Amino acid sequence: MSRRALGAALLSGAAGAAVVLVSAGQTWGEGDAQGGGGELPVTASGSAVSGLPSALALVGLAALVAVFAVRGTGRFVVASVLALSGAGSIGAALLGYGDTEALDRAAAEAMGISDVAVTSVSHTGWPWFSALGGLLLLCAGLLALSYGRQWPAMSSRYERGGREARGRRGGRGGAGDPERPEDIWRALDRGEDPT
């Protein structure tokens, strides 16, 4: 089950972040700007309505990668960040669904005057897709919280002073600290790889 949860979390997190980021570039609201005797169609993209979903999607994507770089408490914290970024993306998308402020700003910019009314306002389904992406990120975070302790982590092989590195140094039969230049040269003379 741990391997399936790992695959599901990776797929869900990557797909969720992609859906949120794509949705942010799409039109969330449309209307007609009326003012100064003229009328113009105006639109507002998801990023104009709120930059929060796409920012949280990037945080979630970074947390998804970082889950494998940490262990123990660090993994719990990163998995929590992943879940919270998904929950935040859902909330921001749902709050942005009925927002008309971005349309008002687009209308004022398009007409060049501040006294503009936006009529015939309609909203597209892209905020719902963004919320769906946030839900996928949330699921990835919950899977990481539930099964993350069993998942593999990056090796501590190259960490300075790590247990595995100390064990290998002692097991080679070489004397002294291999960090000293003269010991490295002696190891090379014996035909050993000092790394």
Side-chain angles (χ1 to χ4, degrees):
M1 182 61 182
S2 175
R3 291 278 182 201
R4 286 185 192 159
L6 171 62
L10 287 172
L11 184 63
S12 177
V19 168
V20 172
L21 291 171
V22 167
S23 298
Q26 305 302 317
T27 300
W28 285 22
E30 302 170 318
D32 294 323
Q34 295 181 342
E39 183 175 320
L40 284 174
V42 290
T43 61
S45 68
S47 56
V49 171
S50 174
L52 194 57
S54 49
L56 288 172
L58 292 174
V59 168
L61 197 56
L64 182 65
V65 173
V67 162
F68 300 101
V70 293
R71 295 183 177 105
T73 305
R75 182 167 284 182
F76 176 79
V77 169
V78 171
S80 298
V81 168
L82 176 58
L84 289 173
S85 68
S89 294
I90 294 169
L94 294 179
L95 287 174
Y97 176 72
D99 184 81
T100 58
E101 288 181 28
L103 282 173
D104 292 338
R105 287 191 303 269
E109 187 176 309
M111 299 297 280
I113 55 175
S114 59
D115 188 24
V116 179
V118 180
T119 60
S120 305
V121 174
S122 64
H123 299 282
T124 66
W126 285 107
W128 296 104
F129 280 107
S130 184
L132 175 65
L135 180 63
L136 290 172
L137 279 170
L138 175 62
C139 289
L142 293 177
L143 284 169
L145 285 169
S146 300
Y147 298 100
R149 291 181 301 278
Q150 302 164 9
W151 293 349
M154 290 176 66
S155 173
S156 63
R157 176 178 178 180
Y158 299 106
E159 290 179 7
R160 185 176 181 97
R163 286 185 296 213
E164 293 174 13
R166 282 192 296 260
R168 279 194 306 277
R169 282 187 214 133
R172 291 201 179 175
D177 182 12
E179 296 296 321
R180 294 179 22 194
E182 58 270 15
D183 291 333
I184 292 173
W185 284 109
R186 285 188 195 116
L188 285 171
D189 288 341
R190 289 190 302 266
E192 296 176 3
D193 183 3
T195 60

mmCIF file of all heavy atoms in Angstrom, residues 11-42:
data_model
loop_
_atom_site.group_PDB
_atom_site.id
_atom_site.type_symbol
_atom_site.label_atom_id
_atom_site.label_comp_id
_atom_site.label_asym_id
_atom_site.label_seq_id
_atom_site.Cartn_x
_atom_site.Cartn_y
_atom_site.Cartn_z
ATOM 1 N N LEU A 11 1.459 11.517 -8.503
ATOM 2 C CA LEU A 11 0.571 11.810 -9.623
ATOM 3 C C LEU A 11 -0.444 12.886 -9.260
ATOM 4 O O LEU A 11 -0.655 13.845 -10.007
ATOM 5 C CB LEU A 11 -0.140 10.529 -10.070
ATOM 6 C CG LEU A 11 -1.026 10.655 -11.295
ATOM 7 C CD1 LEU A 11 -0.211 11.044 -12.519
ATOM 8 C CD2 LEU A 11 -1.746 9.338 -11.548
ATOM 9 N N SER A 12 -1.045 12.745 -8.099
ATOM 10 C CA SER A 12 -2.058 13.700 -7.660
ATOM 11 C C SER A 12 -1.472 15.090 -7.457
ATOM 12 O O SER A 12 -2.055 16.098 -7.875
ATOM 13 C CB SER A 12 -2.684 13.188 -6.355
ATOM 14 O OG SER A 12 -3.610 14.092 -5.841
ATOM 15 N N GLY A 13 -0.311 15.159 -6.807
ATOM 16 C CA GLY A 13 0.313 16.462 -6.553
ATOM 17 C C GLY A 13 0.743 17.163 -7.825
ATOM 18 O O GLY A 13 0.495 18.364 -8.008
ATOM 19 N N ALA A 14 1.387 16.430 -8.733
ATOM 20 C CA ALA A 14 1.839 17.045 -9.988
ATOM 21 C C ALA A 14 0.645 17.464 -10.845
ATOM 22 O O ALA A 14 0.632 18.570 -11.406
ATOM 23 C CB ALA A 14 2.726 16.073 -10.757
ATOM 24 N N ALA A 15 -0.356 16.599 -10.944
ATOM 25 C CA ALA A 15 -1.544 16.940 -11.740
ATOM 26 C C ALA A 15 -2.298 18.106 -11.126
ATOM 27 O O ALA A 15 -2.763 19.009 -11.836
ATOM 28 C CB ALA A 15 -2.458 15.724 -11.864
ATOM 29 N N GLY A 16 -2.419 18.111 -9.808
ATOM 30 C CA GLY A 16 -3.129 19.198 -9.135
ATOM 31 C C GLY A 16 -2.464 20.546 -9.354
ATOM 32 O O GLY A 16 -3.129 21.540 -9.671
ATOM 33 N N ALA A 17 -1.142 20.591 -9.205
ATOM 34 C CA ALA A 17 -0.422 21.846 -9.426
ATOM 35 C C ALA A 17 -0.571 22.296 -10.871
ATOM 36 O O ALA A 17 -0.782 23.488 -11.145
ATOM 37 C CB ALA A 17 1.049 21.682 -9.066
ATOM 38 N N ALA A 18 -0.492 21.361 -11.818
ATOM 39 C CA ALA A 18 -0.638 21.718 -13.236
ATOM 40 C C ALA A 18 -2.025 22.264 -13.527
ATOM 41 O O ALA A 18 -2.179 23.271 -14.238
ATOM 42 C CB ALA A 18 -0.358 20.499 -14.111
ATOM 43 N N VAL A 19 -3.054 21.645 -12.969
ATOM 44 C CA VAL A 19 -4.434 22.109 -13.209
ATOM 45 C C VAL A 19 -4.627 23.508 -12.641
ATOM 46 O O VAL A 19 -5.221 24.378 -13.295
ATOM 47 C CB VAL A 19 -5.452 21.112 -12.604
ATOM 48 C CG1 VAL A 19 -6.851 21.713 -12.569
ATOM 49 C CG2 VAL A 19 -5.461 19.819 -13.395
ATOM 50 N N VAL A 20 -4.127 23.756 -11.458
ATOM 51 C CA VAL A 20 -4.269 25.094 -10.853
ATOM 52 C C VAL A 20 -3.537 26.139 -11.688
ATOM 53 O O VAL A 20 -4.070 27.227 -11.960
ATOM 54 C CB VAL A 20 -3.765 25.101 -9.394
ATOM 55 C CG1 VAL A 20 -3.732 26.525 -8.839
ATOM 56 C CG2 VAL A 20 -4.641 24.227 -8.522
ATOM 57 N N LEU A 21 -2.312 25.821 -12.115
ATOM 58 C CA LEU A 21 -1.534 26.787 -12.887
ATOM 59 C C LEU A 21 -2.155 27.063 -14.253
ATOM 60 O O LEU A 21 -2.181 28.214 -14.710
ATOM 61 C CB LEU A 21 -0.094 26.300 -13.041
ATOM 62 C CG LEU A 21 0.721 26.290 -11.748
ATOM 63 C CD1 LEU A 21 2.047 25.585 -11.946
ATOM 64 C CD2 LEU A 21 0.932 27.698 -11.221
ATOM 65 N N VAL A 22 -2.672 26.035 -14.907
ATOM 66 C CA VAL A 22 -3.335 26.246 -16.203
ATOM 67 C C VAL A 22 -4.614 27.046 -16.017
ATOM 68 O O VAL A 22 -4.916 27.967 -16.790
ATOM 69 C CB VAL A 22 -3.617 24.883 -16.892
ATOM 70 C CG1 VAL A 22 -4.565 25.054 -18.062
ATOM 71 C CG2 VAL A 22 -2.322 24.255 -17.354
ATOM 72 N N SER A 23 -5.366 26.727 -14.975
ATOM 73 C CA SER A 23 -6.630 27.424 -14.722
ATOM 74 C C SER A 23 -6.419 28.910 -14.442
ATOM 75 O O SER A 23 -7.250 29.736 -14.803
ATOM 76 C CB SER A 23 -7.362 26.791 -13.534
ATOM 77 O OG SER A 23 -7.695 25.454 -13.804
ATOM 78 N N ALA A 24 -5.304 29.237 -13.798
ATOM 79 C CA ALA A 24 -5.036 30.636 -13.459
ATOM 80 C C ALA A 24 -4.871 31.505 -14.700
ATOM 81 O O ALA A 24 -5.154 32.703 -14.667
ATOM 82 C CB ALA A 24 -3.793 30.738 -12.591
ATOM 83 N N GLY A 25 -4.458 30.921 -15.802
ATOM 84 C CA GLY A 25 -4.269 31.687 -17.032
ATOM 85 C C GLY A 25 -5.516 31.789 -17.894
ATOM 86 O O GLY A 25 -5.494 32.464 -18.931
ATOM 87 N N GLN A 26 -6.586 31.145 -17.480
ATOM 88 C CA GLN A 26 -7.821 31.150 -18.266
ATOM 89 C C GLN A 26 -8.775 32.242 -17.792
ATOM 90 O O GLN A 26 -8.616 32.814 -16.724
ATOM 91 C CB GLN A 26 -8.502 29.784 -18.164
ATOM 92 C CG GLN A 26 -7.624 28.627 -18.559
ATOM 93 C CD GLN A 26 -7.104 28.743 -19.978
ATOM 94 O OE1 GLN A 26 -7.838 29.098 -20.890
ATOM 95 N NE2 GLN A 26 -5.829 28.448 -20.165
ATOM 96 N N THR A 27 -9.805 32.499 -18.592
ATOM 97 C CA THR A 27 -10.811 33.518 -18.263
ATOM 98 C C THR A 27 -11.756 32.996 -17.197
ATOM 99 O O THR A 27 -12.388 31.953 -17.374
ATOM 100 C CB THR A 27 -11.613 33.901 -19.518
ATOM 101 O OG1 THR A 27 -10.702 34.423 -20.489
ATOM 102 C CG2 THR A 27 -12.668 34.941 -19.197
ATOM 103 N N TRP A 28 -11.862 33.745 -16.094
ATOM 104 C CA TRP A 28 -12.766 33.374 -15.013
ATOM 105 C C TRP A 28 -14.052 34.188 -15.055
ATOM 106 O O TRP A 28 -15.079 33.728 -14.595
ATOM 107 C CB TRP A 28 -12.099 33.553 -13.657
ATOM 108 C CG TRP A 28 -11.103 32.498 -13.323
ATOM 109 C CD1 TRP A 28 -10.432 31.681 -14.185
ATOM 110 C CD2 TRP A 28 -10.656 32.127 -12.014
ATOM 111 N NE1 TRP A 28 -9.602 30.843 -13.505
ATOM 112 C CE2 TRP A 28 -9.710 31.084 -12.173
ATOM 113 C CE3 TRP A 28 -10.947 32.584 -10.745
ATOM 114 C CZ2 TRP A 28 -9.070 30.488 -11.086
ATOM 115 C CZ3 TRP A 28 -10.312 31.991 -9.655
ATOM 116 C CH2 TRP A 28 -9.382 30.949 -9.835
ATOM 117 N N GLY A 29 -13.981 35.403 -15.561
ATOM 118 C CA GLY A 29 -15.166 36.259 -15.602
ATOM 119 C C GLY A 29 -15.219 37.080 -16.872
ATOM 120 O O GLY A 29 -14.187 37.443 -17.443
ATOM 121 N N GLU A 30 -16.441 37.345 -17.338
ATOM 122 C CA GLU A 30 -16.660 38.141 -18.549
ATOM 123 C C GLU A 30 -17.783 39.128 -18.280
ATOM 124 O O GLU A 30 -18.646 38.887 -17.442
ATOM 125 C CB GLU A 30 -17.065 37.239 -19.720
ATOM 126 C CG GLU A 30 -16.069 36.162 -20.048
ATOM 127 C CD GLU A 30 -16.610 35.153 -21.051
ATOM 128 O OE1 GLU A 30 -17.795 34.756 -20.927
ATOM 129 O OE2 GLU A 30 -15.837 34.782 -21.952
ATOM 130 N N GLY A 31 -17.762 40.214 -19.012
ATOM 131 C CA GLY A 31 -18.826 41.209 -18.878
ATOM 132 C C GLY A 31 -18.682 42.290 -19.925
ATOM 133 O O GLY A 31 -17.784 42.249 -20.766
ATOM 134 N N ASP A 32 -19.584 43.259 -19.856
ATOM 135 C CA ASP A 32 -19.548 44.403 -20.759
ATOM 136 C C ASP A 32 -19.328 45.665 -19.941
ATOM 137 O O ASP A 32 -20.063 45.942 -18.993
ATOM 138 C CB ASP A 32 -20.884 44.516 -21.520
ATOM 139 C CG ASP A 32 -21.100 43.356 -22.465
ATOM 140 O OD1 ASP A 32 -20.115 42.890 -23.069
ATOM 141 O OD2 ASP A 32 -22.255 42.890 -22.582
ATOM 142 N N ALA A 33 -18.282 46.410 -20.313
ATOM 143 C CA ALA A 33 -17.990 47.681 -19.642
ATOM 144 C C ALA A 33 -18.774 48.788 -20.325
ATOM 145 O O ALA A 33 -18.668 48.971 -21.540
ATOM 146 C CB ALA A 33 -16.494 47.965 -19.706
ATOM 147 N N GLN A 34 -19.560 49.522 -19.543
ATOM 148 C CA GLN A 34 -20.352 50.625 -20.077
ATOM 149 C C GLN A 34 -19.975 51.906 -19.350
ATOM 150 O O GLN A 34 -19.999 51.963 -18.132
ATOM 151 C CB GLN A 34 -21.847 50.362 -19.910
ATOM 152 C CG GLN A 34 -22.326 49.186 -20.723
ATOM 153 C CD GLN A 34 -23.818 48.948 -20.574
ATOM 154 O OE1 GLN A 34 -24.439 49.429 -19.639
ATOM 155 N NE2 GLN A 34 -24.382 48.202 -21.512
ATOM 156 N N GLY A 35 -19.650 52.922 -20.119
ATOM 157 C CA GLY A 35 -19.288 54.206 -19.542
ATOM 158 C C GLY A 35 -18.865 55.174 -20.619
ATOM 159 O O GLY A 35 -18.316 54.767 -21.650
ATOM 160 N N GLY A 36 -19.140 56.438 -20.415
ATOM 161 C CA GLY A 36 -18.767 57.466 -21.377
ATOM 162 C C GLY A 36 -19.461 57.291 -22.716
ATOM 163 O O GLY A 36 -18.920 57.671 -23.747
ATOM 164 N N GLY A 37 -20.629 56.677 -22.719
ATOM 165 C CA GLY A 37 -21.392 56.508 -23.956
ATOM 166 C C GLY A 37 -20.944 55.340 -24.802
ATOM 167 O O GLY A 37 -21.429 55.159 -25.911
ATOM 168 N N GLY A 38 -20.016 54.526 -24.299
ATOM 169 C CA GLY A 38 -19.538 53.380 -25.084
ATOM 170 C C GLY A 38 -19.686 52.070 -24.321
ATOM 171 O O GLY A 38 -19.998 52.045 -23.136
ATOM 172 N N GLU A 39 -19.463 51.006 -25.036
ATOM 173 C CA GLU A 39 -19.546 49.677 -24.429
ATOM 174 C C GLU A 39 -18.448 48.790 -25.008
ATOM 175 O O GLU A 39 -18.243 48.772 -26.218
ATOM 176 C CB GLU A 39 -20.923 49.063 -24.721
ATOM 177 C CG GLU A 39 -21.130 47.713 -24.082
ATOM 178 C CD GLU A 39 -22.530 47.185 -24.294
ATOM 179 O OE1 GLU A 39 -23.492 47.968 -24.226
ATOM 180 O OE2 GLU A 39 -22.656 45.976 -24.557
ATOM 181 N N LEU A 40 -17.730 48.094 -24.124
ATOM 182 C CA LEU A 40 -16.651 47.199 -24.533
ATOM 183 C C LEU A 40 -16.750 45.882 -23.761
ATOM 184 O O LEU A 40 -17.058 45.887 -22.572
ATOM 185 C CB LEU A 40 -15.281 47.812 -24.227
ATOM 186 C CG LEU A 40 -14.760 48.924 -25.117
ATOM 187 C CD1 LEU A 40 -13.468 49.480 -24.540
ATOM 188 C CD2 LEU A 40 -14.509 48.409 -26.517
ATOM 189 N N PRO A 41 -16.473 44.761 -24.414
ATOM 190 C CA PRO A 41 -16.412 43.499 -23.664
ATOM 191 C C PRO A 41 -15.106 43.437 -22.871
ATOM 192 O O PRO A 41 -14.054 43.841 -23.362
ATOM 193 C CB PRO A 41 -16.463 42.438 -24.755
ATOM 194 C CG PRO A 41 -15.948 43.113 -25.976
ATOM 195 C CD PRO A 41 -16.305 44.567 -25.848
ATOM 196 N N VAL A 42 -15.194 42.954 -21.647
ATOM 197 C CA VAL A 42 -14.006 42.811 -20.799
ATOM 198 C C VAL A 42 -13.985 41.400 -20.210
ATOM 199 O O VAL A 42 -15.028 40.773 -20.030
ATOM 200 C CB VAL A 42 -13.968 43.851 -19.653
ATOM 201 C CG1 VAL A 42 -13.717 45.239 -20.194
ATOM 202 C CG2 VAL A 42 -15.220 43.812 -18.817
#
